Amino acid sequence: MTSYGMLPETARVVQPKKTNVYAIASVVANVALVGALLYTQTGEVGASVAASSRVHVAPRMVAPKFSMSGLRPAQREARVAAHGKGVVSTVALDAPVATSEDSMTWSLAKGNEVDAGMGQVHIEAAISNEVSPVMAQKNIQRPVIFGVAADSGCGKSTFLRRVNAIFGTTTSKAHTPTGDLITTICLDDFHTLDRTGRADTGISALDVRANNFALMADQLKALKQGRAIKKPIYNHDTGAIDPVETIHPNHIIIVEGLHPMLDKDVIESLDFTFYIDVSDPVKKAWKIERDMVERGHKKEDIIASIESRKPDFEKFVEPQKANADVIISIEPTKLDVAPGEETKYLNTRLIQKENQHGIRPVYMFEEEGSTVDWDPCAGPGAMACPYPGTRVRYYNEMSGEKHAHVLEVDGVFGETEELFFIEERLSNTNTKYFGELTKQMLKNKAAPGSGDGSGLIQALVALKMRESYERFTGRTIQIPKWGLFLDDY
């Protein structure tokens, strides 16, 4: 019997009322640990919810009124109506179910014959003819597939660690990280040119000619149908294309890389999509710092490499922003800083486009659609903010052709523990209990971005991924509620 940390849709979890930062210590210490979900091999689900005593707490701060520039009533009503609609679906099992991995048979996948100048490097890529036995073993209703697009060196690895933490799970250290709940596939594995081939042809890894989209689309579609795949491996250490590995479906599959939302056939298999957009000045500063310190590269060589990639990035990677449901935008600060310090401090924006999935945006205070410009470092009982301070903004804008809700966090935080001050003023975060967002930031305190808005926005996006999984499957990720004191982290 394996625990997956999920509750059935019918199980109800008692959530304590939100309270302010001063009362939180007296409340959360009495919160009982919620029982974990246990899946049996027969597919039955069991859960126990510990009762928690009701405690009278100080009322939540009433937000001041801000100028309203929100949606028209018809738009608001349509959105509210959409929130009530379920999007739960199951896999159409149009193939026999394999009783074991040894009993599975295989067919060559589409795109296995692609030759970009190095021969048919994906000739062994295949798809199982049967539904994987893992579907029954893990009681997978249907795999949910997320797409995460970004250039290299833009923080995908840090973001995905936060995602695992939010889901309360871990993954292996294998080439394709896999756990009880999540499997993460790097789309570099679909490169058709190895490092030597790219150098000889002058074709970069960003170029569509160096990637096998036909195979990518066919194998993601197979995973969504509950089938297993034999997927190629791109070896980042040697730059070579290694023999295939067998990947089974999972509750959640994250496909990350340069091009998850570029090809329409690949997009069809994605349930929810994310784009990490790091501006050129910040990207250059990050890459110089990383490659000089960790890899011993010269500054001028790093800059030349960045500039050489830029045309292909603008042509093949950046256009995916139009296909993303959510964009994490990281730019130099807008705060008043000394010349040359603009990229040292970050302004991070969470751009949440209107979507058809019923996933609601995070917003400030109690009025979705309002315009907010707030200094959390000012006023009685405010956060203690070091130079250059912190600014939180919320507003609406058009992102391409879609209406978007934008949460913007500029500057740095003092003590991570004080993020309660911001968390209690955010609405619709999809936390399981008040304080979970701050707790997650404290658990990953040493991770890049934990002292500024980039880490906070990443954690909020991970919460939205959890919300979308629950909405797509009708299941609930169950997170234990520990006390919110430092000794508990």
Side-chain angles (χ1 to χ4, degrees), residues 103-114:
S103 68
M104 297 173 66
T105 60
W106 300 86
S107 295
L108 294 177
K110 294 178 182 177
N112 79 305
E113 75 288 348
V114 168

Side-chain angles (χ1 to χ4, degrees), residues 353-422:
K353 299 180 186 178
E354 293 282 2
N355 60 80
Q356 302 300 315
H357 314 302
I359 308 302
R360 301 176 60 193
V362 178
Y363 56 92
M364 288 291 295
F365 298 109
E366 303 295 341
E367 291 292 341
E368 181 179 348
S370 62
T371 297
V372 177
D373 189 356
W374 175 51
D375 182 355
C377 313
M383 293 175 61
C385 302
Y387 170 86
T390 308
R391 203 82 185 180
V392 182
R393 307 178 182 94
Y394 171 75
Y395 50 91
N396 295 299
E397 69 176 20
M398 294 301 295
S399 179
E401 297 181 353
K402 292 187 176 181
H403 183 274
H405 304 262
V406 182
L407 177 67
E408 182 176 319
V409 183
D410 200 347
V412 295
F413 311 130
E415 296 295 330
T416 308
E417 293 84 350
E418 291 191 336
L419 286 177
F420 284 121
F421 195 68
I422 293 178

Side-chain angles (χ1 to χ4, degrees), residues 107-113 125-128 145 190 212-231 263-269:
S107 295
L108 294 177
K110 294 178 182 177
N112 79 305
E113 75 288 348
I127 292 172
S128 67
I145 305 183
F190 295 89
N212 193 340
F213 288 97
L215 178 59
M216 195 185 301
D218 201 36
Q219 293 202 322
L220 288 181
K221 180 180 178 181
L223 287 171
K224 189 115 183 192
Q225 294 172 336
R227 301 171 188 255
I229 62 173
K230 290 185 177 180
K231 177 187 66 60
D263 179 84
K264 64 179 181 62
D265 293 328
V266 174
I267 293 173
E268 285 183 358
S269 293

Side-chain angles (χ1 to χ4, degrees), residues 5 29 98 101-102 114 121 123 130 149 177-179 196 227 255 280 298 348-349 353 367 391 407 419 453 477-478:
E101 188 169 347
D102 292 339
V114 168
V121 294
I123 193 66
E130 300 84 15
T178 300
T196 301
R227 301 171 188 255
V255 292
D280 283 346
K298 295 180 180 179
T348 306
R349 300 197 305 151
K353 299 180 186 178
E367 291 292 341
R391 203 82 185 180
L407 177 67
L419 286 177
I477 300 294
Q478 179 57 22

Side-chain angles (χ1 to χ4, degrees), residues 66-115:
F66 292 84
S67 61
M68 295 296 294
S69 57
L71 303 176
R72 294 187 297 272
Q75 291 176 303
R76 184 179 297 275
E77 291 171 6
R79 184 177 61 250
V80 171
H83 295 160
K85 296 178 181 178
V87 292
V88 178
S89 63
T90 56
V91 174
L93 301 180
D94 56 354
V97 179
T99 56
S100 67
E101 188 169 347
D102 292 339
S103 68
M104 297 173 66
T105 60
W106 300 86
S107 295
L108 294 177
K110 294 178 182 177
N112 79 305
E113 75 288 348
V114 168
D115 183 352

